[in-house]
Amino acid sequence: MDISQLDLSRLQFATTTIYHFLFVPITIGLAFLVAVLQTMWFRSQDPALRKLTRFFGRLLVINIAIGVVTGIVQEFEFGMNWSQYSRFVGDVFGAPLAMEGLGAFFLESTFLGLWLFGWDILPRRVHLATIWAVAFGAALSAGFIMAANSWMQHPVGYEINASTGRPELTSIGALFTNPVFVWGYAHVLLASLVTGTLLVLSVSAWQVRRGTSPEVFVRSMMLALALLLPVSAVTLGVGSHLGVIETTYQPMKVAAMEGQWDTCAPCSFSAAQVGGWTSDDQQATKIIEIPHLLSILATGSLDGQVVGLNELQAQYQQKYGPGDYIPNVFIQYWSMRVMAYLGSVLPLLGLWGLWLWRRHKLTSARLFLWVSTWAFLAPFAMNTAGWLLTENGRQPWVVQGLLRTKDGNSPSVSLAEVALSLGIFWVLYLALGAVWGFLMLRFARRPLDEDAEDPAAPDDPDSLFPRSPALTY
């Protein structure tokens, strides 16, 4: 098989993006959970909650550190491997990316430092405000990135400069009211909360199984369970409506998601299928078809029409000229199912935990604790599948309808240079992954700090600097 420079560039960007996106949802979700724990401690002054806040706060700091390092790589990659793309979108992306760097990231990093070093120094309510600022900054940062990404999925608020041939932003408001952004951002935030919740549940369940301070870690389990059921259920609902939005603006993505080659109404959803992945192999053997479900997911109605890949391909060729506009159907089909199937199981896990909680058997249910311990793997698979579904479904466009991926590549970079940098990235990412795994396991397995007892950390700033007699004249 011949591999081109474009293929390797795409593989490299997919590698760096997926890798970085492993840490982003953890940071957003865990920052919120840590802020909630600290708020509970602030209100109750219970030393156990202070210990839990510091315990999970360490895991948050590790994720932020690794996430920042992996995110910086992408900035360089835009300029190196995707110079034509960077030049094309620069007049649009400049605004949200500048807001992200100067506003959200500055907010997150500054207040993370204040929170990290402000224990027992800052007044309690000020220290509490710093962790909420970190959580808000992390969510805000994702918002600006999602606004830019959503513009690639559905360009709005721009006009093409006749002299340069490039789009220029004419409405910043349109960028942040783009329906693809509104629903996509909501979905990412909720998925991040699910990720943070499952991480807290998993670590707490492992500590309870181990018998380390079970009376304390069961409280973080209860917090995670109280959030897991409603958040995972709402995530499913928002994700379902996002499918309707994508049918409106990116129907090719949705048709590929089901491997639907012919237009249908009403349309059934298959639990799995064999074959039907390419235009030369359109006859799939579908397993367990659920009537009307695809119509509901794609259009929100029982009998809604889903335009097939063949008809969309003909429409795109008429509009954009000759070419293959069908994304990789196999990736679309299975990415959607991995995300949906795992997402459907999580509310059941939440219900199971709440039922045990009500029967006061949360710490003695060994099977539930074992399942909860390993449940942290689910959000990694779901988030990666969701990212593949979103980005692969846009192909062959890098900016839907405006710029094809092959036209955004850097013509001056050779195949050997991309291969070398890709190899370096893989080695570095393996090393970073090993460091992240080592630190997470090391700190997640630690017992609670006995020296994390609540010291005199008063709200009155004057008590931090005791007054002493002074001679004045």
Side-chain angles (χ1 to χ4, degrees), residues 66-278:
I66 300 292
V68 168
V69 172
T70 56
I72 290 174
V73 173
Q74 294 178 65
E75 306 290 336
F76 291 103
E77 205 172 340
F78 281 135
M80 290 189 298
N81 290 358
W82 301 98
S83 60
Q84 298 299 320
Y85 159 80
S86 300
R87 191 171 291 113
F88 185 78
V89 302
D91 293 330
V92 175
F93 277 26
L97 294 187
M99 292 177 192
E100 195 273 336
L102 298 176
F105 183 69
F106 179 80
L107 180 73
E108 181 184 0
S109 56
T110 301
F111 283 95
L112 178 66
L114 288 172
W115 181 78
L116 196 58
F117 298 106
W119 284 98
D120 311 328
I121 297 175
L122 293 173
R124 284 175 178 162
R125 58 172 56 87
V126 175
H127 191 249
L128 175 63
T130 61
I131 189 61
W132 278 108
V134 172
F136 178 69
L140 197 62
S141 180
F144 290 126
I145 299 300
M146 281 296 297
N149 181 270
S150 299
W151 188 85
M152 294 162 62
Q153 310 288 340
H154 175 52
V156 292
Y158 75 97
E159 64 180 20
I160 299 293
N161 186 309
S163 60
T164 64
R166 299 198 299 264
E168 293 180 350
L169 191 64
T170 57
S171 170
I172 191 72
L175 206 62
F176 292 100
T177 55
N178 184 347
V180 175
F181 163 73
V182 172
W183 289 97
Y185 182 44
H187 192 56
V188 166
L189 285 184
L190 288 165
S192 299
L193 284 179
V194 171
T195 304
T197 299
L198 281 176
L199 184 66
V200 170
L201 177 65
S202 174
V203 173
S204 303
W206 186 86
Q207 292 280 3
V208 170
R209 285 172 59 202
R210 184 184 174 192
T212 308
S213 305
E215 72 285 356
V216 177
F217 278 107
V218 75
R219 300 178 68 174
S220 51
M221 280 184 65
M222 291 159 69
L223 171 64
L225 287 171
L227 289 172
L228 180 58
L229 179 59
V231 172
S232 56
V234 174
T235 305
L236 277 176
V238 171
S240 176
H241 188 73
L242 183 59
V244 177
I245 298 292
E246 288 177 338
T247 301
T248 304
Y249 300 109
Q250 294 178 297
M252 188 72 85
K253 177 186 290 185
V254 175
M257 183 182 77
E258 181 58 25
Q260 190 67 42
W261 292 93
D262 299 319
T263 300
C264 57
C267 308
S268 60
F269 176 89
S270 63
Q273 75 176 43
V274 178
W277 310 123
T278 66

Side-chain angles (χ1 to χ4, degrees), residues 179-433:
V180 175
F181 163 73
V182 172
W183 289 97
Y185 182 44
H187 192 56
V188 166
L189 285 184
L190 288 165
S192 299
L193 284 179
V194 171
T195 304
T197 299
L198 281 176
L199 184 66
V200 170
L201 177 65
S202 174
V203 173
S204 303
W206 186 86
Q207 292 280 3
V208 170
R209 285 172 59 202
R210 184 184 174 192
T212 308
S213 305
E215 72 285 356
V216 177
F217 278 107
V218 75
R219 300 178 68 174
S220 51
M221 280 184 65
M222 291 159 69
L223 171 64
L225 287 171
L227 289 172
L228 180 58
L229 179 59
V231 172
S232 56
V234 174
T235 305
L236 277 176
V238 171
S240 176
H241 188 73
L242 183 59
V244 177
I245 298 292
E246 288 177 338
T247 301
T248 304
Y249 300 109
Q250 294 178 297
M252 188 72 85
K253 177 186 290 185
V254 175
M257 183 182 77
E258 181 58 25
Q260 190 67 42
W261 292 93
D262 299 319
T263 300
C264 57
C267 308
S268 60
F269 176 89
S270 63
Q273 75 176 43
V274 178
W277 310 123
T278 66
S279 55
D280 297 329
D281 174 27
Q282 300 184 12
Q283 298 304 315
T285 302
K286 301 206 172 188
I287 302 168
I288 309 179
E289 290 194 78
I290 305 172
H292 299 280
L293 183 55
L294 178 59
S295 289
I296 295 172
L297 293 174
T299 68
S301 67
L302 274 174
D303 300 323
Q305 183 189 72
V306 176
V307 181
L309 293 168
N310 289 325
E311 186 174 337
L312 288 169
Q313 168 70 10
Q315 291 177 9
Y316 279 39
Q317 282 190 328
Q318 187 175 17
K319 184 175 182 180
Y320 300 113
D324 183 2
Y325 297 94
I326 299 175
N328 187 306
V329 177
F330 182 86
I331 292 176
Q332 286 300 102
Y333 186 91
W334 286 111
S335 296
M336 187 272 174
R337 277 151 184 79
V338 167
M339 186 176 62
Y341 292 167
L342 288 175
S344 301
V345 169
L346 294 182
L348 300 179
L349 179 64
L351 273 175
W352 186 12
L354 292 175
W355 179 74
L356 291 171
W357 181 1
R358 182 178 174 82
R359 293 172 61 88
H360 306 286
K361 294 184 176 179
L362 207 51
T363 57
S364 60
R366 306 301 296 177
L367 179 60
F368 173 76
L369 293 175
W370 184 85
V371 171
S372 297
T373 300
W374 289 100
F376 80 96
L377 294 174
F380 289 104
M382 291 164 56
N383 295 333
T384 301
W387 191 255
L388 283 172
L389 181 69
T390 301
E391 301 309 307
N392 175 73
R394 191 186 59 236
Q395 299 301 319
W397 300 103
V398 66
V399 179
Q400 184 76 37
L402 296 180
L403 183 70
R404 299 185 201 199
T405 303
K406 65 182 179 61
D407 298 324
N409 200 14
S410 295
S412 59
V413 180
S414 68
L415 175 65
E417 289 170 333
V418 179
L420 177 63
S421 58
L422 178 59
I424 293 172
F425 282 162
W426 279 350
V427 172
L428 288 176
Y429 281 179
L430 283 174
L432 280 174

